Amino acid sequence: MNEHLVERFGRRTVGKSERYDTPSPAPRTIGPNHLLRNYWRKEISDSSSWRSQPELPAASEIFTPKTGDGSGTGGGNSAADGDDSEEVDDDDVVGIPINKIDEPWVDKEDYLSSHYGLLREDVVAPLRDAVKEVQENPGMGENKSICIYENVHITGFTFCRQGPAARVCFSIARAGKRIRWEQSTRLRAGSVVALSPSHDNFRQHCTVAVIAARPLEGLQQNPPTVDLLFATTEEIEIDPLEKWIMVEARSVFFEANRHTLLALQRMMSETFPLANHLVDLEGDVSPPGYIQRNPFIDLRSISSEENPEAENVNVLEAFPHGLETTLDSSQLAALRRILSKRLAIVQGPPGTGKTHVSVLAVKALMEKVAETDSPLIVTAQTNHALDQLLRLIAEFEPNFIRLGSRSLDMDIIKPRTLYEVRKGRKDKNTMPKINCNLRSSAFKRIKKIEKEMKTIITPLLQEGAPCPAQVLFELGLLTESQYNSLENDTQAWVQPIREDNSFGSIATWLGGQLLPVGATTEVDTFDFEDEELDLEFEQLKELEAELSGAINDDEGGDRLQGIWLPIKEPFTSRCSPGFSEKLVSQALRVDDLYQIPPDHRGTVYCQLRKRAKKMILTNFRRKTKEYLSAAHDIRMGDLEESSALLRESRIIGMTTTGLSKNRALIASIEPKIVMVEEASETLEGHVSAACFESLEHLILVG
């Protein structure tokens, strides 16, 4: 009757061929994942609270404009350092919540908002301090906490999955040293930077952006280049002639906490399954719901010999004395705690067998969890610890998937990354098919929007010619009569710049007022010594790799994938001093632009260019919002397919940062059991993000 038990309960080692050569299921069609779609539709009310804080830091969080006397006007600067007797302006003080560790919180919002505030201040304060220091010392060089890049210019845009990314070139002159980019933690993908026009130098203007990609070949150019995503559509800039200064704080990597901050905000509109313990600090921990309903677990899979007493063990009672395992008494007590408490905490110094206990607990839980139940989630602080755990789990459970493709285990773990599983299923045409998948229609929308955005910035794509009269007419900056006056070939008395008029009618009209723009990108010619090696490079490189890229782990490397449009403005014109914008408007009242005196035409064209770029920027920003909406739907389509694949697995592994990043995806499979390895090294905010609405059992080992 029980002849199947040996196979079912894992009494044998699973070979590699059995592990990965199992037949793929036939393609199936499933409906839309409403859990996934609704995750992003949950409303965040109260626009003045922490819940509505933007995903990336706002300029107001890191920047205080200067008044005429050089002082700040209030905002988000941190408290001043110095002697205790020095007066500190109230506007320079940041209110930081207190982390309560020995008393209950007022309520769920008090708990979540405090951890959100602590985490956000931790990642925003270094950049705020850096901007303030540069603001007060405009000509300063770099130091141990601040990186400063000058002569920053926008050279083009890549239309990638994350949005239109601006490529900028820059100078590292203020570093005072030559940067070994292949071993440097500067400008990591996910780092937040602050920019200001060079002529302003953070006095009145600040723009926030995040590093989208840092291809090594771009950084090793002279001048080096990097790709940016502006924090909001309202902060996007497109002027290739504008020169900026860019500031980076060395001590913080925003991307590592970005998704946890979003998760804490999202949790305010969710039920909080462990609030009575994490918020109210209740010490009496009950068993998980599924254990209360049926406390018997078959532990023969973890016993050291065939033992009938291990067949049905009530984990709410003391383990039978005859239960033979490889565990000592403390490890056995830890195992029982894991299996019997909805919030289980196992602690111990290195070398005491915590990982061994964790693996046996997973093995036992696999016997308890039905094949149709949601997968068990295992997570760890580092990729190394996660891979170590999954290698041990793979010995008895081959049906696992790892989120994040940065595994060094090419034999066991790499083939089971989500990217590789998706790729294999696509190759075999066995991917689940989603009814009403948003992706196909979104792809069509985004291609249409890309063409429209290319048309919008066409004036900046002109090679070797000033802004065409046709563009100025289409933007409504010239009347039809004015446009015709420029294009009318009967103006025989006009002396063209070139006989073939290859620069267009605007160049003909401007004559000697037209000026070529010199090189905006300046080559660094200094001969500095190499910068010191970043000691944390390998650790930060691993974290950057874990967090970069698309949600479906599409391994695109360090380079953004998408259409690349270089922008350039090769010509400007002479501007007459004292010729105001009001006088330009008066000059443009004529129908025939040749009636404007030649000496004034350069100034008129300067104003027309300025107005044109302002209108182009407005239209570009508006279309970017549409682009981001379509990109979100493409992402949602990928997530729905990934969710269907994850539901077919029995165990899903990821790092703790990967859990926050993929929280919507994990929530869509309604996990009931989450195990966190290295929990003692994980911030509480990251652990809280694992409290999905469906959670019944949280295991913390560290």
Side-chain angles (χ1 to χ4, degrees), residues 134-173:
V134 173
Q135 186 186 55
E136 294 175 348
N137 304 280
M140 67 176 286
E142 291 189 355
N143 56 38
K144 292 183 178 180
S145 60
I146 303 173
C147 297
I148 306 173
Y149 311 97
E150 58 185 12
N151 295 329
V152 180
H153 287 274
I154 298 173
T155 63
F157 284 88
T158 301
F159 291 87
C160 61
R161 294 282 288 273
Q162 297 94 324
R167 181 165 301 168
V168 298
C169 63
F170 55 91
S171 168
I172 56 172

Side-chain angles (χ1 to χ4, degrees), residues 577-591:
F579 203 80
S580 66
E581 188 171 347
K582 182 178 180 181
L583 292 175
V584 170
S585 298
Q586 291 176 354
L588 285 171
R589 291 175 182 173
V590 299
D591 290 333

Side-chain angles (χ1 to χ4, degrees), residues 462-469 487 489 495-509 514 570-571:
Q462 301 296 318
E463 286 291 337
C467 184
E487 298 296 321
D489 291 335
Q495 185 67 35
I497 291 181
R498 291 187 178 179
E499 293 182 0
D500 62 358
N501 197 22
S502 61
F503 284 2
S505 57
I506 284 287
T508 302
W509 173 69
L514 185 66
F571 287 97

Side-chain angles (χ1 to χ4, degrees), residues 248-290:
E248 176 188 23
R250 289 178 181 265
S251 62
V252 65
F253 184 38
F254 182 81
E255 189 74 8
N257 298 292
R258 174 180 184 174
H259 303 284
T260 301
L261 291 169
L262 285 172
L264 294 172
Q265 287 179 313
R266 193 67 54 184
M267 289 175 68
M268 268 306 297
S269 53
E270 300 176 354
T271 57
F272 197 168
L274 295 176
N276 57 327
H277 301 302
L278 298 180
V279 178
D280 302 329
L281 298 191
E282 289 183 9
D284 186 13
V285 182
S286 60
Y290 67 93

Side-chain angles (χ1 to χ4, degrees), residues 247-439:
V247 173
E248 176 188 23
R250 289 178 181 265
S251 62
V252 65
F253 184 38
F254 182 81
E255 189 74 8
N257 298 292
R258 174 180 184 174
H259 303 284
T260 301
L261 291 169
L262 285 172
L264 294 172
Q265 287 179 313
R266 193 67 54 184
M267 289 175 68
M268 268 306 297
S269 53
E270 300 176 354
T271 57
F272 197 168
L274 295 176
N276 57 327
H277 301 302
L278 298 180
V279 178
D280 302 329
L281 298 191
E282 289 183 9
D284 186 13
V285 182
S286 60
Y290 67 93
I291 292 293
Q292 293 184 42
R293 294 186 289 272
N294 179 10
F296 294 94
I297 298 181
D298 194 322
L299 297 182
R300 284 180 295 175
S301 63
I302 68 170
S303 62
S304 55
E305 60 182 41
E306 292 292 345
N307 188 342
E309 290 191 48
E311 184 174 358
N312 282 298
V313 177
N314 187 338
V315 296
L316 299 183
E317 299 176 355
F319 284 169
H321 293 294
L323 182 64
E324 296 291 336
T325 70
T326 58
L327 305 177
D328 61 28
S329 58
S330 64
Q331 292 170 338
L332 198 61
L335 176 63
R336 181 173 175 273
R337 170 172 288 275
I338 288 175
L339 299 178
S340 63
K341 299 295 183 181
R342 65 193 296 253
L343 175 57
I345 301 176
V346 175
Q347 292 179 294
T352 53
K354 297 186 297 298
T355 299
H356 180 54
V357 173
S358 296
V359 172
L360 290 183
V362 171
K363 194 173 187 179
L365 288 170
M366 285 294 95
E367 308 299 347
K368 180 67 175 176
V369 177
E371 294 282 351
T372 55
D373 285 346
S374 57
L376 186 149
I377 307 300
V378 295
T379 180
Q381 179 73 4
T382 63
N383 281 293
H384 174 75
L386 175 63
D387 285 349
Q388 181 185 35
L389 185 62
L390 288 177
R391 276 195 297 270
L392 296 171
I393 289 173
E395 294 179 5
F396 59 86
E397 180 50 72
N399 187 14
F400 71 90
I401 289 181
R402 187 203 198 278
L403 299 187
S405 56
R406 302 297 173 168
S407 172
L408 297 179
D409 189 327
M410 307 301 293
D411 181 43
I412 298 175
I413 309 301
K414 192 74 171 180
R416 296 304 300 171
T417 61
L418 179 58
Y419 172 80
E420 292 293 339
V421 172
R422 282 178 61 101
K423 183 175 180 294
R425 294 286 290 272
K426 285 181 178 178
D427 291 344
K428 297 177 181 178
N429 196 28
T430 59
M431 280 291 292
K433 300 185 185 302
I434 312 296
N435 276 331
C436 304
N437 193 306
L438 300 171
R439 188 171 53 189

